[in-house]
Structures are given as structure tokens and as C-alpha cells.
């Protein structure tokens, strides 16, 4: 362990300091001083390379692109985006960096016919690898990073009250709201208010001061732009610097993010993706085509610099940011955070609100846009304009998907299907090696499916028959993998309890596993009922919404004390397996 880690908060110390309520951490300030003061050892920097070099399967990266291209057409009625830039990689290798569609396509939106009025073909601009996007709420990650830097330096306390830094904030029952609650959206703030209707900056702030919580602070999760706007005001008060200056000096400058900033200059406009034809009633302001300026109305009214929105960036810069965090806060020889600070950002503080897992700024374990990349450690965020960033520390992989999905109008987009499809394909691109031999049975990743893997009827009447196999699963929590048996030729099935073991044994009395297992193989054993014609099956059931990475079964063997009844490694036995929806996969 290095001196740097010894001085900070280790994972074990984090666990010891976890409080019972809300997963909050009671931490002391980290040593004061700029994050870059410590000289870090060099960590991976990004380079383009092949999928093989990244340890990814090319076929699934190709599928990621082809699936993304389908959303350029009706999905279901209108294109989900006019275009997008896709970037995916693992370790220090960017294995996919592909633009699709158009960055600028529509001049305006015709609400009478619900159609986009296109620019002449020669004035349209195709997507490019370096196209710059309005990140919308992905901007919240930058504000959160700046806040965690101040926590690291001792200038801000995670459990400190916001009113201790901004006395005006304490009005209307907000005196007990903490910095942590702003970062985890548990402050009680309503989701949004139209600050842009207030004529002066002071009156906009007064609207925030006068806002009363909808619920007691810490009692509920409610995603709110007001949390990050308030955090911006805290940061500007304690540092004496505007948020855009902090971003440049503390993040984009040290990391060399040359295409990331608030309020891009006019010279950038030809390489910026256009957003919406912003007009009432669907927009709060009458602005016409928004192109090169922030789309969010409140951020626009705040001068383009806001804690919740306003940052422009491109796919490469976001990948560098993601690589920095996966590296523990360093990129090359630049450090913006210590590893223990990154750990805080990826720690679930919202254990009291299952389904709304949240670190400091980062959302965690959200299948609705991460797809099968989602694990309890997977961190990410989305933006209303069609942007997203997903980081999976368990596989050291990252996915950037930047689309202009409000171009020409916000009502054309619906849900996050393109993000889910990209996340599923990226997860599938990370191979799962068989526990033994060259192949293992794989459930697939289809939604609304019952996939079954059935062994032939066996004579277990001796009473001492046991099943042994290797089991791997990463199952979306609403789905399940169950081991079942039948003695009547399949007319009825009943669960078979089993035990899994890796470092310790775990009983599964209902014969079921679900959720995330850590992306490792487990040994499964169970005694089998005595019957002359006992058949076993694995049934993988998924709902119609989202899926995990799926399930794998390998090294199947059924035997008694003195003989083998079934061994999948024997070709004759393997041929007797009935697989519906399962395939013999090499990865």
C-alpha cells in the first residue's frame, strides 16, 4: 500500500464509517492542498486500437453500431436522434469511435404537420468523431467532481449544512439540507422551477432561497436540477471563482480537455451538434433553432454557466474523463482526485432508496440507460439532449453515447432505447470465458423470454445422486434464473434448492439466483430427489423491460457415489441437452 492510500480513506475504512441511515458516510476532511500536489505514477492514457487489443469481441461492437443506426429511422414514429457519436473502449484502448447521422439537419420544426423542416442538403453537417455536444445534465458530473475536490481539500464537508456556506439558502425550511443531499438528490427539492421567468439574476436566486422542500431532507429521493444549481452557488462562494473558471482550472486544463467548456465561442459552431427549435409551448423560451448555445432554459437564463447544465464536450474528452476516474483520479501524470475520493463518487449513498442508487453526482446500477453494463459499481449519467456516459469498474470498460435527440424537437424522443441497446452490446463485447474447456451454455440476453436448458431424464432412485456444475450470472433484479425438476415428463416443475460456493457457501432454498454475482464463476452443488425419471432444467425468465448480461452454465455432471449418470463433457451426453434460447457459447 502506498503512502498516498495510507493517508486517505481505504475501502475498509469507508465500510466502517457507513451509517445505518441512507448509506451516508461520516468522513473527516482529507488533507488540505491541491489535488495535483501529489505526484502520481503514470496511469493508462487513451489510444485508438483494435477490439482485440481492448479485450473486446469485435462482433458485438459492430452490432453496437448497427443497432444505433436503426434509431436514425422511425423509433417508433420519429428518429430518436438526427445523429450520434459512439465511443467504447476498455483499459487504455478506444476500440470504437464512430459518428453516425447528422449533426445539423433541421432548420426548424413544423408543429402543424409534426415534421422537421430540413436545411438544404449542402447546408447540413454530418456527425464527425470530434463533434461537440451540449451535454445537458451530464454537466452535473463536472460540478460534482469540483465539489468532491473541495471535500478532499477540507474546504467543504460532505455532511456539512448548505446554509453554513450559503446562509441565504437556509430559508423556507432548508436549514438542515446537507452537501451530501445535494449530491445524491435527497434534499427534498422539487425537480425543477422556471428560473428563466425571473427578470434579474438576484430574483432567480431568490426563487431558490424561497423554495421549501417537498419532503423532509433525507427522507426521499427526487432528482432535481436545483440541487446542482445550489451546489454551484456553494462552490462559487467558498472558492471566490465562477464555475466556468473552476472547470477550466481544476479539470479541463489539467486533463487537456480542449473541447470541453461552458459557452463555446462562435468559431466552434460548425462542429457543434444542433439541438431544438425552441419555441413555446414545448419550450419555456422563444429562441428558434438552438445551435452553439446551451439548450436548457434555466442554464441559458443563468448566462450559460450552471451547475446542472451548460457544459459542451465531445466523445473523446468524455472518454478521457471516464478513463481518469477508472484510473482512480489520474490521467497520465495529471491527478484531479485521489483514489479514495473517486471511491466516494462510486459509493451508493442511497441504500435507503432501492432502485435509486446514487454516488456523489454519479448514478449507479441503472439498467434503464446502462443496459446490461449495469452493476452495483457501474456509474454514469444521462443528459436530456441525448447524451450519456457509462463507466464499469468491474470490467474497466467505458461507453460514451452522444446524440442530438431534441433535434428538431424534444417531443420526438421517447425513453432510452438506443442507450440500452448500446449498453447491452458493450456488455456482451466483454467475453465470459468458460469455466472449463472451450464452451459453456449461455442463456442469451433477450427480454420477455423464458429460455430453458434441460437435461434428459435420469434414474436417481438410489437417493444419493448429486448435481455439480459451474454457474455464472448477472441478472437484472426483476429477472431470475431457477433450477427446476420434473418427474412427470414436464407436466409440472418444482424448484430444486442448491448451494453455490466461491469463497464461502451460499444457500439458495428457492433454487433461484438473481441480481449481480460479481462476474465470477461459482461452484453449484445439490442433492437430487430420488426418482426413476428425474429431469432437470435451468429456466432463465426475463421481463419486457431490461436484461442483465445473462447466465452461463458449464461443467454439468450428475452422479452417485459410484457412477456418473450424466457428464456434459461427453459428446453423447451433451447431444442429449435440450436448449431453448440457450446456446453453446465460447465467450
Amino acid at each position: 500500500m502506498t503512502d498516498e492510500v495510507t493517508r486517505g480513506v481505504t475501502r475498509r475504512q469507508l465500510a466502517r464509517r457507513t451509517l445505518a441511515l441512507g448509506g451516508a458516510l461520516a468522513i473527516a476532511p482529507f488533507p488540505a492542498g491541491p489535488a495535483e500536489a501529489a505526484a502520481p505514477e503514470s496511469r493508462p492514457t487513451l489510444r485508438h486500437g483494435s477490439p482485440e487489443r481492448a479485450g473486446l469481441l469485435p462482433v458485438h461492437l459492430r452490432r453496437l453500431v448497427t443497432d444505433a443506426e436503426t434509431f436514425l429511422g422511425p423509433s417508433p414514429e420519429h428518429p430518436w436522434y438526427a445523429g450520434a457519436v459512439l465511443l467504447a473502449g476498455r483499459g487504455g484502448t478506444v476500440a470504437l469511435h464512430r459518428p453516425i447521422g447528422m449533426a445539423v439537419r433541421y432548420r426548424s420544426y413544423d408543429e402543424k404537420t409534426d415534421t422537421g423542416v430540413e436545411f438544404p442538403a449542402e447546408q447540413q453537417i454530418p456527425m464527425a468523431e470530434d463533434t461537440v455536444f451540449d451535454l445537458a445534465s451530464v454537466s452535473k458530473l463536472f460540478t460534482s467532481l469540483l465539489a468532491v475536490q473541495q471535500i478532499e481539500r477540507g474546504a467543504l464537508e460532505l455532511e456539512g449544512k448548505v446554509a453554513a456556506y450559503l446562509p441565504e439558502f437556509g430559508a423556507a425550511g432548508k436549514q438542515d439540507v446537507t452537501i451530501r443531499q445535494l449530491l445524491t438528490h435527497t434534499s427534498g427539492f422539487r425537480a425543477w422551477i422556471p428560473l428563466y421567468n425571473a427578470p434579474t439574476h438576484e430574483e432567480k436566486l431568490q426563487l431558490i432561497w424561497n423554495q421549501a422542500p417537498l419532503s423532509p431532507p433525507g427522507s426521499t429521493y427526487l432528482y432535481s436540477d436545483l440541487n446542482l444549481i445550489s451546489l454551484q452557488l456553494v462552490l462559487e462562494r467558498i472558492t471566490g471563482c465562477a464555475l466556468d473558471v473552476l472547470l477550466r482550472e481544476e479539470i479541463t486544463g489539467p486533463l487537456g480537455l480542449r473541447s470541453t467548456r461552458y459557452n463555446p465561442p462562435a468559431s466552434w459552431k460548425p462542429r457543434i451538434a444542433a439541438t431544438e427549435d425552441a419555441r413555446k409551448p414545448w419550450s419555456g423560451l422563444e429562441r428558434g433553432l438552438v445551435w452553439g448555445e446551451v439548450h436548457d432554459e434555466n442554464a441559458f437564463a443563468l448566462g450559460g454557466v450552471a451547475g446542472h447544465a451548460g457544459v459542451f464536450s465531445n466523445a473523446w474528452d468524455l472518454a478521457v474523463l471516464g478513463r481518469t476516474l477508472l484510473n482512480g483520479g489520474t490521467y497520465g501524470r495529471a491527478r484531479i482526485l485521489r483514489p479514495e475520493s473517486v471511491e466516494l463518487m462510486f459509493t451508493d449513498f442511497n441504500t435507503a432508496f432501492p432502485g435509486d442508487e446514487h454516488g456523489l453526482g454519479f448514478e449507479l446500477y441503472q439498467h434503464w440507460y446502462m443496459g446490461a453494463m449495469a452493476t452495483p459499481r457501474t456509474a454514469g449519467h444521462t443528459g436530456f439532449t441525448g447524451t450519456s456516459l457509462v463507466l464499469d469498474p468491474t470490467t474497466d470498460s467505458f461507453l460514451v453515447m452522444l446524440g442530438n435527440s431534441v433535434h428538431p424537437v424534444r417531443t420526438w424522443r421517447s425513453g432510452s432505447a438506443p442507450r440500452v441497446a448500446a449498453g447491452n452490446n458493450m456488455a456482451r463485447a466483454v467475453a465470459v470465458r468458460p469455466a472449463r474447456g472451450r464452451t459453456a451454455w449461455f442463456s442469451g440476453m433477450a427480454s420477455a423470454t423464458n429460455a430453458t436448458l434441460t437435461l434428459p431424464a435420469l434414474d436417481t432412485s438410489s437417493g444419493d445422486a448429486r448435481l455439480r456444475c459451474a454457474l455464472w450470472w448477472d441478472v437484472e433484479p426483476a429477472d431470475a434464473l431457477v433450477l427446476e425438476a420434473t418427474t412427470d415428463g414436464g407436466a409440472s416443475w418444482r424448484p430444486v434448492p442448491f448451494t453455490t460456493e466461491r469463497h464461502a457457501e451460499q444457500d439458495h432454498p428457492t433454487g433461484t439466483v438473481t441480481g449481480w454475482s460479481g462476474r465470477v464463476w461459482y461452484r453449484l452443488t445439490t442433492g437430487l430427489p430420488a426418482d426413476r425419471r428425474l429431469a432437470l432444467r435451468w429456466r432463465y425468465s426475463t421481463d419486457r423491460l431490461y436484461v442483465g448480461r445473462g447466465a452461463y452454465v458449464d461443467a454439468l455432471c450428475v452422479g452417485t457415489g459410484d457412477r456418473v449418470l450424466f457428464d456434459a463433457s461427453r459428446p453423447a451426453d451433451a447431444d442429449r441437452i435440450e436448449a431453448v434460447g440457450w446456446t453453446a457459447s465460447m465467450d
Side-chain angles (χ1 to χ4, degrees), residues 246-259:
L246 287 173
L247 178 70
R248 181 176 67 249
E249 293 183 351
E250 302 288 355
I251 298 177
T252 63
L255 295 180
L257 307 183
R258 296 182 178 86
S259 294

Side-chain angles (χ1 to χ4, degrees), residues 369-443:
Y369 71 89
M370 298 174 178
M373 286 185 73
T375 77
R377 293 280 296 161
T378 304
H381 215 288
T382 64
F384 184 77
T385 51
T387 57
S388 60
L389 169 67
V390 180
L391 309 176
D392 179 10
T394 67
T395 60
D396 200 30
S397 58
F398 47 92
L399 173 64
V400 179
M401 188 170 191
L402 302 180
N404 53 352
S405 65
V406 297
H407 184 56
V409 69
R410 67 189 68 185
T411 55
W412 278 15
R413 52 169 291 166
S414 177
S416 276
R419 296 173 176 136
V420 172
N424 287 348
N425 283 309
M426 183 59 185
R428 187 74 171 88
V430 180
V432 176
R433 300 303 180 193
R436 185 185 303 171
R438 299 185 67 249
T439 62
W441 288 102
F442 173 48
S443 65

